[in-house]
């Protein structure tokens, strides 16, 4: 299939080699130079920042209303294409992407939505060529999927960054945390996250929690995060 990628961000940078490895012909176009956009393709995949998506859709679909278009945004609705294209949908690979790190798409779940059966079949074929985990999901449900991903990925990674700050202030290398991080992540492959939770907040060990809060007195924002997270962990542990 001839695939046109619009955008050269983190997702597109990783998606392009995966599509090529699956045998697709890929044309990559920067979203700032849409004058170079081909008039026809098997599918046009728009992968840009959410705040630029509506503008890029309007420009890219002009004169190509009969072509098939999708965007890759987790929290943006499929309806952005209404009135601009006859065949459209969403192609959302749920993963954290970085330009510096190559990922394998085989086990990345890809969530699809389409406005008609023919487009859905096209997306299923495209997604199935790079991933073993392909799902159909509506825009409304995908918003909650993306919200859950923010907690599981973005917030968790931010906690790594806070941990690194504490360690660096005391001359301790962050890599001492890696076995702990790896075990915690690996454990939830076999246990529900609630059952895998450990630490002072589960039993609400007030002596430890109070002491650690005091240790963060010079960092009120981090202290507030610590207190709120501890209360949330304990609440989750004591409520079914």
């Amino acid at each position: 299939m001839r695939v046109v990628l619009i955008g050269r961000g983190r997702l597109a940078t990783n998606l392009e080699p995966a599509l090529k490895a699956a045998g697709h012909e890929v044309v990559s176009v920067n979203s700032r130079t849409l004058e170079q956009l081909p008039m026809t393709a098997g599918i046009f995949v728009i992968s840009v920042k959410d705040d630029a998506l509506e503008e890029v859709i309007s420009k890219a679909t002009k004169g190509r209303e009969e072509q098939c278009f999708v965007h890759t945004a987790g929290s943006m609705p499929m309806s952005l294409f209404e009135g601009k294209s006859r065949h459209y949908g969403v192609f959302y690979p749920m993963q954290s992407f970085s330009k510096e790190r190559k990922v394998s798409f085989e086990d990345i779940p890809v969530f699809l939505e389409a406005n008609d059966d023919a487009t859905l079949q096209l997306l299923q074929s495209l997604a199935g060529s790079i991933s073993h985990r392909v799902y159909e999901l509506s825009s409304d449900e995908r918003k909650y999927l993306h919200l859950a991903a923010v907690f599981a990925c973005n917030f968790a990674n931010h906690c790594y960054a806070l941990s690194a700050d504490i360690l660096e202030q005391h001359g301790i290398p962050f890599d001492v945390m890696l076995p702990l991080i790896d075990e915690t992540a690996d454990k939830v492959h076999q246990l529900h996250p609630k059952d895998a939770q450990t630490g002072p907040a589960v039993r609400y060990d007030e002596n430890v929690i109070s002491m650690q809060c005091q240790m963060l007195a010079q960092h009120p924002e981090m202290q507030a995060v610590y207190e709120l997270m501890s209360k949330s962990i304990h609440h989750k542990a004591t409520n079914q």
Side-chain angles (χ1 to χ4, degrees), residues 5-17 28-32 46-49 72 97-100:
L5 287 179
I6 302 172
R8 291 180 179 169
R10 289 174 293 183
L11 194 159
T13 300
N14 282 270
L15 182 57
E16 181 176 358
S28 180
V29 178
N30 194 303
S31 60
R32 293 185 294 273
I46 301 176
S47 182
V48 298
K49 293 180 179 179
T72 62
F97 295 101
S98 300
K99 288 186 176 181
E100 302 82 6

Side-chain angles (χ1 to χ4, degrees), residues 76-89:
M76 302 298 282
M78 181 177 70
S79 60
L80 290 175
F81 289 104
E82 287 181 2
K84 301 179 179 70
S85 174
R86 285 191 59 193
H87 310 287
Y88 55 86

Side-chain angles (χ1 to χ4, degrees), residues 29-206:
V29 178
N30 194 303
S31 60
R32 293 185 294 273
T33 56
L34 290 180
E35 65 273 8
Q36 299 174 9
L37 192 64
M39 292 304 297
T40 61
I43 189 168
F44 290 80
V45 180
I46 301 176
S47 182
V48 298
K49 293 180 179 179
D50 289 0
D51 59 4
L53 186 55
E54 194 164 3
E55 180 184 1
V56 172
I57 286 174
S58 295
K59 291 180 179 178
T61 55
K62 190 173 183 180
R64 302 175 182 85
E65 291 80 3
E66 297 298 319
Q67 300 296 301
C68 180
F69 283 86
V70 296
H71 71 65
T72 62
S75 59
M76 302 298 282
M78 181 177 70
S79 60
L80 290 175
F81 289 104
E82 287 181 2
K84 301 179 179 70
S85 174
R86 285 191 59 193
H87 310 287
Y88 55 86
V90 176
F91 185 96
Y92 173 52
M94 192 183 69
Q95 183 55 280
S96 174
F97 295 101
S98 300
K99 288 186 176 181
E100 302 82 6
R101 181 176 171 85
K102 184 179 178 181
V103 298
S104 170
F105 269 80
E106 289 184 3
D107 293 317
I108 293 177
V110 181
F111 295 89
L112 309 176
E113 185 179 15
N115 75 315
D116 58 46
D117 290 341
T119 302
L120 180 59
Q121 291 177 11
L122 181 69
L123 294 182
Q124 288 172 335
S125 175
L126 183 66
S129 70
I130 62 172
S131 173
H132 300 306
R133 306 180 66 183
V134 179
Y135 307 89
E136 187 178 355
L137 199 67
S138 70
S139 290
D140 285 340
E141 292 301 317
R142 195 175 63 256
K143 288 190 299 185
Y144 289 99
L145 176 75
H146 190 257
L147 173 60
V150 168
F151 275 92
C153 175
N154 305 128
F155 287 176
N157 189 74
H158 181 62
C159 286
Y160 299 158
L162 296 181
S163 172
D165 288 344
I166 293 170
L167 294 170
E168 287 169 7
Q169 290 168 13
H170 297 277
I172 305 170
F174 179 70
D175 63 11
V176 301
M177 287 291 164
L178 296 182
L180 178 63
I181 291 170
D182 291 344
E183 171 61 17
T184 303
D186 190 58
K187 193 158 41 175
V188 296
H189 284 264
Q190 299 163 341
L191 300 174
H192 189 281
K194 181 179 176 181
D195 297 326
Q197 188 71 58
T198 61
V202 172
R203 57 188 181 274
Y204 215 72
D205 187 330
E206 294 189 40

